Amino acid sequence: MRQLSAGAAALALALRGRAQPAAAAGPAPKKLGIALCGLGGYATGQLAPALKLTENVELRGVITGSRAKGQQWAQAFGFPEKSIYGYDTMARLADNKDIDIVYVVTPNALHPEHTIAAAWAGKHVISEKPMATSVADCNAMLTACRLNKVKLSIGYRLQFEPNFRELKRLARDGDFGAFMTMSGGLSFTMTKPQWRAEKKLAGGGPLMDLGIYALQAACMAAGGDAPVAITARELPKKRPEFFRDVEETIEWTMEFANGAKGTFSTSYNGGLDRFRAEGTRGWIEFAPAFQYGGLKVATSKGPLNLAVPPSQQAGQIDDFARCIREDLESPVSGAMGRRDMVIIDAIYKSAAQGGRRIEVTV
Ligand code: NAD
């Protein structure tokens, strides 16, 4: 038997035991075709298995720097080799009727280039978070999608997770009163050099990569609103040689129009994974808060214990297919991705100016 490469082995492992769901009775609507752009860790470990579970979408192509890797994916998912593209041949996607959506899973600073190329090929786009590394790039992505009449959504998987849906419902219905105090954050200890610690490709440090989850959760708890002001400070680096041009740890406060405040932290040196929101009549706490599964959620009324589907990403991708079919704006739209980039900009600006309060206008 042919020896599997490391990439093929990882893909085989990720797909093990993931059967297609049984077909429902009656004619199912035709699935939309998706192409993954970037076949790294997240595409292999999370999106490939999710695309074996999606009901409305199937993987029909890839965009990759490695043709050999593309061939392994073509074999694993049963699509033709003509549907393997390079980053420099994305314009040819325009001729491929099998592919409706491109899912951009490359390093952050490349999301604009790949999103814009997909949009000009006439494909709807999911861009991974963060949407880009600047508001100007978000604007360019939005413009390209508008001009080409394609939809844009951001890979905010937790917006579809049942516990976070419940957080949004609580914020809307006010069971615990308005959430006036929030806290938490996300951190992990980076041990190997990678693009995430290079400003050119990542746009920033853990704030772009991990802090964005806490920022998203805070906006959910605030009923979908953006904060009106930010204060932030970067902590001294413990490994300055490792984090030469990005922050290692940053803390920030978000102030909302109703007086609510959230204080958060993110780092590439630590193990924080928590989100708490306190209302006038109760509280909710997620710990762990931001993982692909196994979230633990307690409230002042007891644990939530909600049933969760096997893949957050399958739900996220299927919802985008629904938006395309019904011609709706995605609930995780490009506008939301841009909003978060405006907030991230304000956090960096405040930290750079010694913690000055920065007003946020989205
Ligand atoms: P990764 O390093 O594992 O994969 C990146 C891929 O991009 C690789 O296949 C690499 O070959 C390719 N690539 C193309 N051009 C490149 C270049 N110039 N330099 C470096 N790599 C290049 O990264 P990942 O963990 O898969 O992350 C990819 C994106 O997905 C990031 O934007 C990240 O924020 C996002 N992500 C999202 C989640 C989530 O939960 N939503 C989780 C992990 C990653």
Side-chain angles (χ1 to χ4, degrees), residues 37-44 46-47 63-66 69 87 103-111 114 127-131 154-158 194-196 198 200-201 208-210 212-213 290-292 312-313 316:
C37 173
L39 303 178
Y42 190 58
T44 306
Q46 296 299 319
L47 299 178
I63 299 130
T64 171
S66 157
K69 213 195 247 188
Y87 299 109
Y103 195 145
V104 177
V105 208
T106 46
N108 308 343
L110 305 179
H111 297 173
H114 297 145
S127 165
E128 254 316 318
K129 44 61 56 179
M131 178 170 168
I154 311 300
Y156 288 137
R157 56 186 167 79
L158 289 173
Q194 51 180 290
W195 63 262
R196 283 180 165 79
E198 278 174 49
K200 191 164 157 269
L201 283 172
M208 287 275 182
D209 189 28
L210 309 174
I212 193 167
Y213 288 98
F290 304 116
Q291 302 298 309
Y292 301 136
Q312 295 168 2
Q313 293 83 358
Q316 171 215 322

Side-chain angles (χ1 to χ4, degrees), residues 62-303:
V62 291
I63 299 130
T64 171
S66 157
R67 182 138 190 106
K69 213 195 247 188
Q71 285 164 336
Q72 288 157 4
W73 282 69
Q75 221 170 41
F77 280 86
F79 57 79
E81 291 200 7
K82 76 171 173 63
S83 296
I84 304 169
Y85 297 85
Y87 299 109
D88 53 350
T89 59
M90 286 182 72
R92 291 194 206 142
L93 280 160
D95 302 325
N96 192 331
K97 299 282 172 275
D98 295 342
I99 294 168
D100 306 283
I101 305 167
V102 170
Y103 195 145
V104 177
V105 208
T106 46
N108 308 343
L110 305 179
H111 297 173
E113 175 185 330
H114 297 145
T115 296
I116 291 167
W120 280 98
K123 306 303 174 186
H124 303 287
V125 188
I126 306 174
S127 165
E128 254 316 318
K129 44 61 56 179
M131 178 170 168
T133 57
S134 71
V135 176
D137 278 352
C138 292
N139 291 342
M141 292 160 81
L142 286 162
T143 301
C145 290
R146 193 186 66 243
L147 289 176
N148 289 287
K149 299 187 172 53
V150 295
K151 295 190 187 294
L152 174 59
S153 81
I154 311 300
Y156 288 137
R157 56 186 167 79
L158 289 173
Q159 292 270 350
F160 302 92
E161 199 279 338
N163 293 288
F164 277 95
R165 279 185 189 273
E166 177 62 3
L167 174 68
K168 288 190 276 186
R169 188 201 66 74
L170 289 168
R172 190 184 65 233
D173 295 349
D175 301 19
F176 294 153
F179 290 122
M180 297 305 289
T181 308
M182 305 171 212
S183 60
L186 183 61
S187 304
F188 84 88
T189 299
M190 186 182 283
T191 52
K192 281 188 275 183
Q194 51 180 290
W195 63 262
R196 283 180 165 79
E198 278 174 49
K199 189 164 185 178
K200 191 164 157 269
L201 283 172
L207 178 60
M208 287 275 182
D209 189 28
L210 309 174
I212 193 167
Y213 288 98
L215 181 161
Q216 270 265 310
C219 293
M220 287 190 231
D225 289 345
V228 292
I230 294 289
T231 48
R233 72 176 184 128
E234 184 183 337
L235 270 61
K237 293 178 190 180
K238 293 184 178 153
R239 291 183 293 164
E241 71 294 348
F242 206 93
F243 302 104
R244 281 194 307 274
D245 59 359
V246 299
E247 78 280 4
E248 181 177 352
T249 304
I250 193 164
E251 298 175 344
W252 73 99
T253 297
M254 300 164 82
E255 282 175 47
F256 292 89
N258 65 350
K261 267 194 181 180
T263 304
F264 303 101
S265 167
T266 187
S267 178
Y268 277 148
N269 201 357
L272 178 65
D273 185 352
R274 193 178 74 86
F275 178 75
R276 182 178 172 94
E278 291 177 33
T280 43
R281 294 194 297 277
W283 53 264
I284 183 166
E285 179 158 336
F286 296 62
F290 304 116
Q291 302 298 309
Y292 301 136
L295 308 192
K296 290 210 167 50
V297 185
T299 78
S300 46
K301 287 189 179 157

Side-chain angles (χ1 to χ4, degrees), residues 11-25:
L11 182 61
L13 194 68
L15 296 178
R16 202 174 52 187
R18 300 283 184 158
Q20 291 278 17

